[in-house]
Structures are given as structure tokens and as C-alpha cells.
Amino acid sequence: MPRRSRVPPSRNPHGLGAHERSDESSSDISTVAVSPQNVHRSRRRSVSENRTSSTRSSARPQPRQRSVSTRVTNALAEIHRLQQSTCLLIPKLPFARLIREIMMQYTGRNLRITREALMAIQEAAEIYLVMLFEDTQKLALHRQRVTITKKDMDMALYFRIS
């Protein structure tokens, strides 16, 4: 039994695409010498080129650019929400690890601390940091800038010490 090759119905029996056919008779098409490997490579290249150009642009929408006023409004809303809340801003476990590390550094022993003492230290630390950032923001505004820098933080710390 002779072996049949599978030919997709969209291709012609000679393996040439519609753009490679000539307007002459079908007998002329059979005389064109094109190896199947080259035809396959050219098809694969065209499919990958089509994929990169059309599907990537349509599959992934471009991120929408938000205006500056939207970002400022969202930031102000977040600041207002955080100022109204009384919850702690620093996560408890990382803060507890930091406190234990500092205690180990100063005493050289693994000391224990109660939960209430740890919460009191965290509340005091957060109040101190919030006030420091408020002073830093005031200094940045004094320099007619919106973004705070290390210089502003150093100056705020200098004023706190003196």
C-alpha cells in the first residue's frame, strides 16, 4: 500500500502559497523548484512575525496613563485615611524581630519581652517617626519642593537634637 502524505486542505498540492503562484497555467507551477524545508521555514517565520506584531499588541492592553491630579488626589485620600485610623502602620512581627535584635546587640543575651511592652515601644516609635516625617515635609516645602530628600531628614534630625 503506498504511503500518502497529509496535505492540509488550505494548501495546493504543490506546496506553494497563493502569493507564490503565477498567473500562468498550472503546469508551470509544477516546474518551480522549491524544497519543502525552505517553504516550511518561510511559513514558520511569517507566523512568528505575525504573532509578535498582532497578538502581543492586542493581547496585552497598554497601561492607562493617569494624570498628575488623579495621583495627587489618591495620595491625599490615602493620607487622610491613615490620619483618621488608629491602627499601627508597621507590621508587628518584623518590628518584634527588630526589637529582639537590638536587645541582643546591647545585652548579648536573648531577653524576653511582654506583648504589652512591645506594643508600647511600637506605638512610641511610630509616633516619633510620624513627627519626624512631618518635620521633614515642612523642610522640603520650605525649600519649595514636594519630594523629601536625605538633606531634609538630616536637617529635621539636627533640629530635634538641638
Side-chain angles (χ1 to χ4, degrees), residues 136 139 143 145 147-157:
T136 305
L139 288 169
R143 292 183 177 182
R145 287 184 287 107
T147 307
I148 62 172
T149 62
K150 185 180 182 313
K151 288 180 183 179
D152 300 326
M153 186 69 76
D154 292 339
M155 186 67 74
L157 286 171

Side-chain angles (χ1 to χ4, degrees), residues 4 15 32 51 62 64 76 78 104 106 119 141 144:
R4 272 198 214 172
V32 176
R51 242 185 236 149
Q62 294 293 327
R64 191 174 56 154
L76 290 174
E78 184 179 4
M104 178 68 113
Y106 280 104
M119 297 305 295
L141 289 175
Q144 297 178 349

Side-chain angles (χ1 to χ4, degrees), residues 5-155:
S5 63
R6 294 184 185 180
V7 177
S10 62
R11 294 188 196 158
N12 63 3
H14 301 290
L16 298 174
H19 64 281
E20 295 171 333
R21 288 188 214 148
S22 63
D23 292 327
E24 299 173 8
S25 67
S26 63
S27 63
D28 291 340
I29 293 175
S30 63
T31 60
V32 176
V34 176
S35 68
Q37 290 87 8
N38 292 339
V39 171
H40 180 66
R41 283 187 194 137
S42 67
R43 283 189 191 123
R44 187 175 2 169
R45 191 177 308 123
S46 65
V47 168
S48 67
E49 288 170 0
N50 289 341
R51 242 185 236 149
T52 57
S53 63
S54 65
T55 51
R56 283 189 184 169
S57 62
S58 64
R60 228 181 320 166
Q62 294 293 327
R64 191 174 56 154
Q65 296 292 328
R66 296 190 307 180
S67 66
V68 175
S69 63
T70 305
R71 285 182 277 173
V72 169
T73 305
N74 289 344
L76 290 174
E78 184 179 4
I79 290 170
H80 182 67
R81 180 178 51 85
L82 290 173
Q83 284 176 343
Q84 298 301 316
S85 71
T86 58
C87 63
L88 297 173
L89 302 175
I90 302 171
K92 293 178 184 175
L93 281 175
F95 187 80
R97 283 194 298 264
L98 176 67
I99 294 299
R100 287 193 180 94
E101 181 181 329
I102 292 171
M103 287 178 9
M104 178 68 113
Q105 184 179 0
Y106 280 104
T107 63
R109 298 184 310 178
N110 192 6
L111 298 176
R112 298 177 74 175
I113 186 169
T114 63
R115 188 178 307 166
E116 292 82 18
L118 193 61
M119 297 305 295
I121 293 171
Q122 185 170 357
E123 284 186 25
E126 286 193 10
I127 290 170
Y128 177 79
L129 286 173
V130 166
M131 289 174 30
L132 182 64
F133 276 114
E134 285 174 356
D135 293 343
T136 305
Q137 180 64 29
K138 288 176 187 174
L139 288 169
L141 289 175
H142 178 72
R143 292 183 177 182
Q144 297 178 349
R145 287 184 287 107
V146 177
T147 307
I148 62 172
T149 62
K150 185 180 182 313
K151 288 180 183 179
D152 300 326
M153 186 69 76
D154 292 339
M155 186 67 74

